[in-house]
Amino acid sequence: MAKDIFYTALDIGTSKVCTIVAQVGPEGDLKIVGTGLVPSQGMAKGRIVNVSEAQEAIRASVNEAQHYLGSRIPWAYVSISGAHISCFNTTGIMHPATEESPVSIEDIDQLIQTSYPEVAEDKEVLHVIPVNYVVDGYLGVRNPVGLHAGRVQVESHVVLGERDVVSETLHAVEDCGVPVRSLVLSSLASSESTLTEDEREIGVVLADIGAGATDLAIFKDGSLWYNASIPVGGNQLTRDLSVALGMPYYFAEDLKDKWGHASPNGDEAGEEVLLPSFQGQPRRLIRRTALCKPLIDRLQETLGLIMVKIQQAGLHRFPPGGIVLTGGTAEIPGLQQMAKQILGCPVRVASPLGIRGLSHEQNKPSFSTVIGLLLWSIKNHGEKKVYNNGERSSWGHKTFFQRIKKAVQVK
Ligand SMILES: Nc1ncnc2c1ncn2[C@@H]1O[C@H](COP(=O)(O)OP(=O)(O)OP(=O)(O)O)[C@@H](O)[C@H]1O
Ligand SMILES: [Mg+2]
């Protein structure tokens, strides 16, 4: 009899560490059975800077989730991001044995293997994702399986991480007693839970604006095509506000959360905010628009940096799907309006889609990565990836289609 399978996602963010365990039943029904959410420590701009502090947070988050589960977490899919990530596109070519027999799933599996790059000693391959195929000169073929062809070429998107950072992340988690099945690029995970198939098809930019970084992923023709990380996030907004008001960081964080606004042109424009007392100073009133000014400046700058990255990716304008904003900082009111004005494209603020039974707390943009990790892990059927400086992963195309089928069933 088919058994329930447990999938665990662990998102190690700059502001929070979140573990979610989901149970997938034999019928594909998915239920969240354990959650562990704790403030992060030992992290900066999406990467571990103090291992023992980070481990304390990871352990606390995992323990909390295990407590709900009532047993040990067998393994987890873990997020990775930061400025050490790089990406490029490669090609692989194959000549099927005979033109009489159609291209098989095994052929495609081998073809994708040929697009694996040789990487430098200090790099680790995180993802090799097939983008599209050229079959006997015909461009843009999405799935060559079943076609009769003399020559098939694949274009793959390769994501690399710095080997030291990758092994540090792996060890940080595994030393807490949780084997890592696979590391997944944060923005790729977030895209799993926020983007629609239509957006991926027509082309879209995903921007996950977290606490320490803004992670970008560009999709074209249904696949990831480019990714980048900008080392600016909500922490900078809070720091700017703290400097502007001459108040400690934690006061500024609270004020940002309660009163922050990216386009205060409505009723909020006339509002006044009573600031807390600090170092014996009397409490004072300031206009909400004045409080928002440093936040607006930083957000405008961040949107400007997103545009620069889009240009660096080789695009002259935003793709037709525009931009989807997620991550905790995307929760600031008025950001959609500001982004529309600055970027001049369709803008959507996204919370995780595709999983039933999320609590109100989990159904927010800051949970897009962890929920996306969960969906990614189910889609890849919990498959284990080997990290060993360029060693080929075991992810074949055969199971890729099966996994997608399975993932669709559980959604
Ligand atoms: N309503 C809100 N208004 C403004 N900022 C918010 C709001 N809610 C959350 N944030 C900010 O979102 C950030 C946390 O977002 P998120 O949980 O996505 O970050 P993270 O995943 O921990 O960090 P990163 O992905 O950068 O490593 C914090 O800076 C927090 O202040
Ligand atoms: Mg994040």
Side-chain angles (χ1 to χ4, degrees):
M1 201 178 77
K3 281 204 201 132
D4 289 353
I5 307 174
F6 292 91
Y7 293 90
T8 302
L10 171 59
D11 177 30
I12 313 168
T14 309
S15 73
K16 62 171 193 324
V17 178
C18 187
T19 308
I20 293 194
V21 187
Q23 180 181 17
V24 178
E27 306 298 320
D29 42 316
L30 185 147
K31 198 169 128 198
I32 290 178
V33 289
T35 306
L37 177 64
V38 302
S40 194
Q41 51 185 26
M43 296 286 295
K45 301 192 188 303
R47 67 175 278 185
I48 295 171
V49 289
N50 182 322
V51 179
S52 56
E53 279 186 16
Q55 281 185 327
E56 216 176 292
I58 293 167
R59 225 172 258 125
S61 169
V62 165
N63 285 344
E64 200 176 314
Q66 282 179 165
H67 174 74
Y68 283 100
L69 186 63
S71 62
R72 286 189 72 78
I73 286 167
W75 45 260
Y77 271 51
V78 177
S79 63
I80 187 160
S81 63
H84 68 106
I85 304 281
S86 55
C87 68
F88 58 94
N89 289 353
T90 62
T91 53
I93 295 172
M94 68 169 291
H95 299 273
T98 58
E99 279 199 43
E100 287 75 49
S101 55
V103 175
S104 66
I105 289 170
E106 289 74 22
D107 288 337
I108 295 303
D109 195 13
Q110 269 178 24
L111 174 61
I112 293 167
Q113 296 278 330
T114 67
S115 70
Y116 267 72
E118 293 294 323
V119 296
E121 275 289 301
D122 59 343
K123 300 282 179 199
E124 186 82 62
V125 177
L126 294 171
H127 300 285
V128 175
I129 301 165
V131 177
N132 65 43
Y133 300 88
V134 182
V135 179
D136 289 338
Y138 286 98
L139 303 173
V141 175
R142 303 297 291 278
N143 179 9
V145 174
L147 299 178
H148 292 265
R151 182 181 190 273
V152 186
Q153 180 179 322
V154 64
E155 186 187 1
S156 296
H157 184 72
V158 176
V159 181
L160 302 180
E162 258 170 42
R163 197 176 188 198
D164 289 350
V165 184
V166 169
S167 59
E168 202 168 75
T169 309
L170 287 170
H171 288 136
V173 178
E174 297 204 326
D175 289 352
C176 294
V178 181
V180 176
R181 274 281 164 112
S182 182
L183 295 171
V184 181
L185 182 68
S186 293
S187 54
L188 195 55
S190 301
S191 70
E192 280 297 316
S193 66
T194 55
L195 299 185
T196 64
E197 280 306 311
D198 289 344
E199 283 168 340
R200 287 163 195 264
E201 282 300 323
I202 61 173
V204 71
V205 177
L206 174 90
D208 183 327
I209 317 178
T214 296
D215 293 320
L216 294 181
I218 304 178
F219 286 79
K220 242 174 82 171
D221 300 328
S223 288
L224 177 68
W225 176 77
Y226 181 84
N227 67 272
S229 184
I230 301 168
V232 180
N235 284 356
Q236 274 76 13
L237 269 74
T238 307
R239 214 164 287 132
D240 292 349
L241 187 60
S242 144
V243 170
L245 298 178
M247 291 205 156
Y249 187 88
Y250 53 88
F251 277 148
E253 178 71 19
D254 191 48
L255 288 164
K256 178 183 82 169
D257 193 46
K258 288 198 180 107
W259 301 100
H261 205 293
S263 311
N265 322 313
D267 290 347
E268 57 282 338
E271 286 176 333
E272 288 190 314
V273 179
L274 185 59
L275 298 181
S277 160
F278 172 60
Q279 283 188 334
Q281 303 267 356
R283 300 187 75 182
R284 61 189 166 104
L285 274 174
I286 65 162
R287 293 181 72 89
R288 188 170 176 189
T289 45
L291 182 144
C292 293
K293 176 79 172 56
L295 306 177
I296 292 170
D297 289 347
R298 184 63 77 174
L299 286 168
Q300 285 176 339
E301 186 203 58
T302 309
L303 293 171
L305 292 171
I306 291 176
M307 277 174 94
V308 170
K309 287 286 178 195
I310 303 297
Q311 282 160 4
Q312 283 174 356
L315 298 181
H316 301 300
R317 64 178 78 86
F318 273 82
I323 187 164
V324 173
L325 302 173
T326 196
T329 300
E331 286 184 45
I332 191 164
L335 184 61
Q336 185 181 27
Q337 192 187 338
M338 174 194 264
K340 266 188 189 159
Q341 264 170 14
I342 293 180
L343 305 176
C345 68
V347 180
R348 185 166 76 81
V349 173
S351 295
L353 311 158
I355 284 204
R356 284 188 299 268
L358 288 183
S359 70
H360 178 65
E361 271 306 300
Q362 292 157 349
N363 208 353
K364 288 183 165 179
S366 54
F367 286 85
S368 296
T369 306
V370 73
I371 299 295
L373 268 175
L374 204 55
L375 293 172
W376 179 272
S377 111
I378 295 165
K379 190 165 159 180
N380 290 288
H381 211 44
E383 208 152 2
K384 185 169 167 58
K385 190 163 185 296
V386 179
Y387 296 95
N388 188 10
N389 191 28
E391 184 162 311
R392 285 159 194 214
S393 94
S394 58
W395 295 18
H397 208 259
K398 179 180 174 187
T399 40
F400 180 72
F401 290 113
Q402 292 168 343
R403 291 179 223 135
I404 287 187
K405 235 168 105 191
K406 286 207 161 74
V408 169
Q409 281 166 2
V410 297
K411 270 197 182 183

